[in-house]
Amino acid sequence: MKQRLLVDMDGVLADIYAQLIECEYQDLGIRQSIEKMNGTSEVDTFKNALKYIYADGFFRNLPVMDGSVEILRQLNEKYELFIVTAAMEFPNSLIDKFYWLEEHFPFIHWKQIVMCGSKTVVKGDIMIDDHFKNLDYFDGKGLLFTQPHNLSGNDRNHTRVNSWYDVANILL
Amino acid sequence: MKQRLLVDMDGVLADIYAQLIECEYQDLGIRQSIEKMNGTSEVDTFKNALKYIYADGFFRNLPVMDGSVEILRQLNEKYELFIVTAAMEFPNSLIDKFYWLEEHFPFIHWKQIVMCGSKTVVKGDIMIDDHFKNLDYFDGKGLLFTQPHNLSGNDRNHTRVNSWYDVANILL
């Protein structure tokens, strides 16, 4: 039986920081360097983060994380894969997230998508996520996907991955 | 620790059949009697079911199942409650379902909502659902909420409930 793999969207498949940097540049003419953002949340890093996130189309136009499409395609063969995204905080993102996945990851069936509030309700063997709050409550193996906001945290029991190529090395 | 209770929307909190009967009456001038619909799916019972379901607003305007609001409010105190709805087949329903819940069940926090494709990915102690396909893969206690389409099925290992008052008798 295949192991069940749960994959997050924001900050794992979708490059939230790249989009926020671009939004801030368009809005304020400032282009922050991602190397200088270690350890603070998006809301602390970008003064108008919530304005950008709530704007129409924010989630529909997110850049795809480098390497994720081809590696997820292979993972989808090897594992029982689910995309699990905590989308309910931003209800207007629900439909954008659905069509974003359909566009960039067309091999993911709608039966494999979970949009939730709390990830404590899902079960699986492996979870790839950029938030300690999700991995810490998961009773399988956790892969912590590096993002600026999680660099200051203790890795605890999770295996840190810095890119989709790291994910491939571990899971493929 | 509270037991985790998973509650379906369509056919459990929301009265899909009442809405379909009304849609068909508006569309074709026919008003089918719910007593005569035992054992066939919605799509077999209503000739134009998919047309109604895909129409704008179908999921936003569903009638609320009798007794569900007050009983769910009490269940929400006693259990760790999640609303789990297989919404991904109809992506345009996602936002409608969110705001329908917010309107009729305002005590449900967004963290308690799960919109998925397959319910095999959620874990809990008790599930209330009107579909065998969901209850049969659930490893907790299943309550089968009576709807016309499930009347011909064998109840198997699930406890059949005919109304929210039956649910209250068992769970409260």
Side-chain angles (χ1 to χ4, degrees), chain A residues 14-122:
Chain A
D15 196 341
I16 293 281
Y17 276 84
Q19 180 95 323
L20 286 170
I21 287 169
E22 192 57 33
C23 287
E24 189 169 66
Y25 179 68
Q26 298 292 332
D27 183 27
L28 303 176
I30 300 164
R31 190 178 290 281
Q32 294 196 62
S33 162
I34 200 159
E35 288 74 23
K36 295 187 181 164
M37 305 179 175
N38 298 346
T40 54
S41 73
E42 294 94 321
V43 174
D44 291 325
T45 302
F46 302 93
K47 186 181 155 195
N48 295 333
L50 289 176
K51 175 177 130 184
Y52 310 144
I53 289 170
Y54 280 106
D56 278 353
F58 181 85
F59 290 96
R60 184 66 186 83
N61 300 306
L62 290 169
V64 175
M65 206 66 88
D66 186 40
S68 62
V69 174
E70 189 47 40
I71 292 165
L72 202 70
R73 191 194 309 275
Q74 293 175 49
L75 291 169
N76 194 37
E77 299 295 319
K78 184 171 175 185
Y79 296 88
E80 186 198 12
L81 191 144
F82 285 90
I83 306 297
V84 182
T85 178
M88 290 301 151
E89 190 172 1
F90 305 104
N92 294 321
S93 75
L94 297 169
I95 193 79
D96 281 354
K97 282 173 170 268
F98 184 90
Y99 288 118
W100 185 90
L101 276 174
E102 190 178 70
E103 178 187 349
H104 299 291
F105 300 87
F107 50 87
I108 300 292
H109 191 277
W110 57 259
K111 289 186 179 173
Q112 296 173 265
I113 304 172
V114 182
M115 297 184 182
C116 56
S118 163
K119 296 192 183 181
T120 58
V121 75
V122 293

Side-chain angles (χ1 to χ4, degrees), chain B residues 17-171:
Chain B
Y17 276 86
Q19 180 95 325
L20 287 170
I21 288 169
E22 191 58 32
C23 288
E24 189 169 64
Y25 179 69
Q26 298 293 332
D27 184 28
L28 303 176
I30 300 164
R31 190 179 288 282
Q32 293 196 61
S33 161
I34 200 158
E35 287 74 21
K36 294 186 181 163
M37 306 180 173
N38 298 346
T40 54
S41 72
E42 293 93 323
V43 174
D44 291 326
T45 303
F46 301 93
K47 186 181 155 195
N48 295 334
L50 288 176
K51 175 177 131 183
Y52 309 145
I53 289 170
Y54 278 106
D56 277 353
F58 181 85
F59 290 95
R60 184 66 186 85
N61 300 306
L62 290 168
V64 175
M65 206 67 87
D66 186 40
S68 62
V69 175
E70 190 45 41
I71 292 165
L72 202 70
R73 191 194 310 275
Q74 293 176 49
L75 291 169
N76 194 38
E77 299 295 319
K78 183 170 176 185
Y79 295 90
E80 185 198 13
L81 190 144
F82 285 90
I83 306 297
V84 182
T85 177
M88 290 300 151
E89 190 171 0
F90 305 104
N92 294 320
S93 76
L94 296 169
I95 192 79
D96 281 354
K97 282 172 170 268
F98 184 90
Y99 287 118
W100 185 89
L101 277 173
E102 190 178 69
E103 177 186 350
H104 299 292
F105 299 87
F107 49 86
I108 300 293
H109 192 277
W110 57 259
K111 289 186 179 173
Q112 296 173 267
I113 303 173
V114 182
M115 298 185 182
C116 58
S118 163
K119 296 192 184 182
T120 58
V121 75
V122 292
K123 60 183 174 184
D125 300 299
I126 306 164
M127 175 183 272
I128 309 175
D129 208 287
D130 64 322
H131 281 286
F132 290 111
K133 68 181 176 191
N134 296 323
L135 295 170
D136 289 349
Y137 289 92
F138 182 64
D139 58 11
K141 175 183 176 68
L143 299 191
L144 177 70
F145 199 94
T146 293
Q147 287 286 272
H149 67 76
N150 67 35
L151 277 169
S152 67
N154 186 317
D155 294 1
R156 297 170 211 169
N157 300 319
H158 319 305
T159 302
R160 185 179 281 278
V161 287
N162 292 314
S163 70
W164 274 94
Y165 306 102
D166 281 0
V167 173
N169 283 337
I170 295 171
L171 297 183

Side-chain angles (χ1 to χ4, degrees), chain A residues 120 122-127 134-142, chain B residues 123:
Chain A
T120 58
V122 293
K123 60 183 175 185
D125 300 298
I126 305 164
M127 175 183 272
N134 296 323
L135 295 170
D136 289 349
Y137 289 93
F138 182 64
D139 58 12
K141 175 184 177 67
Chain B
K123 60 183 174 184

